[in-house]
Amino acid sequence: WASAQFFLFASRKSVKEKARLRLREFDVGDKFSRLPLAKASVLLPLLVREGRLYLLLTVRAMQLRRSPGEVCFPGGKREAMDKDEIDTALREAKEEVGLQPEMVEVICRLMPGIDKMNHLVTPVVGFIEDTFQATPNPAEVSDVFVVPLDYFIKPLNYKALPYKTSSGYSNRMHCFIYDDPERKTSFKIWGLTAHFAVFLALVIFGKRPTFEVDYDLDNLISSAENNFMNLYASVYEKKKSNL
C-alpha cells in the first residue's frame, strides 16, 4: 500500500513538473500589459487526479446579464486595486468559487485573447490541490466541474464553428461537448474559454490534436503571437475608425 501511495505521489509530482517546465517556456509575463485595451483576466486552475491533469471550469449564473449559463474560467475585469493580471485572476477566483489566493501555485501568464467586448483577456495558469472544494457564489456561478485536460486535444464530441469578429477578422471557434461522468450532465465549452483550454493543452502535451487548429504546431509560440497580433491589429484599426 505504502509503495502504491508513493508511486501515486511520485507520478503526480512528475506530471506537475513536466507541465510546469512546458508552461514556463510559454510565459508571456507582462509583454502585452501595455496594449491600450481594457483589461480582464481568467484563472486556468489545473489539478492532478490519478496521474492525469484536469482543468476546473465554472458555469455562469443564469441571472447574469452577459453570457448567462455559459461555461467559463473564474475571472473578470481588472479593478483599480489589482497590481497586475495575476492579481485580477486570483481575486476573481476567490470571489466566484472561494479559492483562496494562497491555495494557487501560479505558474505563468499565457498569450492573451480579446473577448467580444474588446477586453484584453490574460489567462493565468496555476496549480490547485485536487482536494479543493469549491463554494460557488450563487450571484455569479451556478456550477463548478472539472474536465481532463487531454479532452481538449482528443475530444469525443467536437465541432468547429466559423465566425467573424466585429472587426471582420475571420477565425474558427472550437466547440466541445463534455459529458461529465460524475454529474451525468453535458457541458458545452466554446468561444474564448475553449480557445484558452486548447492552447493550454497544446502547450503542455506538445501533441497534435484530432481537429484543425490555427497554429503552426512546430512553432507554437511564434504562430500564437502572430495570430494574436493580427487579431489585435484588426480590433485596434476598428477602434481607431470609430473614434
Side-chain angles (χ1 to χ4, degrees):
W1 179 86
S3 65
Q5 284 294 91
F6 174 76
F7 175 73
L8 250 175
F9 174 74
S11 71
R12 186 179 305 162
K13 214 173 145 213
S14 64
V15 166
K16 266 191 182 178
E17 201 40 54
K18 277 193 195 120
R20 263 193 213 107
L21 292 172
R22 291 279 301 173
L23 286 163
R24 291 206 175 113
E25 286 175 47
F26 285 81
D27 189 0
V28 299
D30 60 4
K31 184 172 181 177
F32 301 98
S33 304
R34 288 167 203 69
L35 293 179
L37 295 175
K39 307 290 188 290
S41 289
V42 290
L43 182 67
L44 277 52
L46 282 169
L47 50 117
V48 182
R49 213 168 260 180
E50 289 164 4
R52 258 180 117 181
L53 285 168
Y54 283 79
L55 201 46
L56 180 132
L57 292 139
T58 68
V59 180
R60 290 171 64 81
M62 286 313 287
Q63 70 268 31
L64 288 172
R65 245 194 9 254
R66 262 191 342 111
S67 313
E70 292 202 355
V71 170
C72 64
F73 291 111
K77 289 205 286 268
R78 182 163 180 172
E79 289 183 8
M81 63 198 179
D82 299 335
K83 278 203 317 286
D84 57 15
E85 295 92 347
I86 294 171
D87 248 24
T88 305
L90 294 177
R91 176 182 53 72
E92 289 281 349
K94 182 182 174 182
E95 289 170 14
E96 289 178 18
V97 297
L99 179 61
Q100 300 299 327
E102 62 275 10
M103 292 165 72
V104 184
E105 181 204 345
V106 173
I107 307 295
C108 69
R109 286 172 270 193
L110 293 178
M111 190 64 63
I114 297 174
D115 69 8
K116 18 183 203 294
M117 317 287 290
N118 287 341
H119 289 104
L120 181 79
V121 185
T122 300
V124 175
V125 185
F127 274 107
I128 62 173
E129 286 302 322
D130 69 329
T131 49
F132 167 66
Q133 293 290 322
T135 48
N137 170 354
E140 298 192 51
V141 172
S142 65
D143 205 353
V144 179
F145 65 104
V146 297
V147 180
L149 183 62
D150 55 23
Y151 195 80
F152 296 105
I153 49 172
K154 285 193 306 236
L156 297 173
N157 191 337
Y158 169 87
K159 59 176 187 285
L161 311 169
Y163 86 110
K164 249 192 171 64
T165 64
S166 58
S167 54
Y169 182 77
S170 32
N171 211 329
R172 67 167 69 93
M173 191 184 281
H174 304 299
C175 179
F176 299 87
I177 305 294
Y178 176 67
D179 296 319
D180 187 324
E182 287 170 35
R183 280 190 161 58
K184 310 280 183 271
T185 311
S186 291
F187 295 102
K188 177 184 175 187
I189 306 162
W190 64 303
L192 198 54
T193 301
H195 169 81
F196 286 149
V198 167
F199 188 67
L200 180 67
L202 292 175
V203 165
I204 290 179
F205 298 119
K207 289 183 180 148
R208 281 186 185 276
T210 55
F211 51 89
E212 290 290 309
V213 287
D214 298 310
Y215 299 112
D216 169 1
L217 294 175
D218 300 317
N219 301 291
L220 190 51
I221 294 179
S222 55
S223 78
E225 191 161 326
N226 287 342
N227 287 3
F228 172 73
M229 290 318 292
N230 289 338
L231 174 62
Y232 171 68
S234 75
V235 167
Y236 196 63
E237 284 310 307
K238 182 163 195 289
K239 274 185 75 168
K240 281 205 313 215
S241 66
N242 286 348
L243 292 177

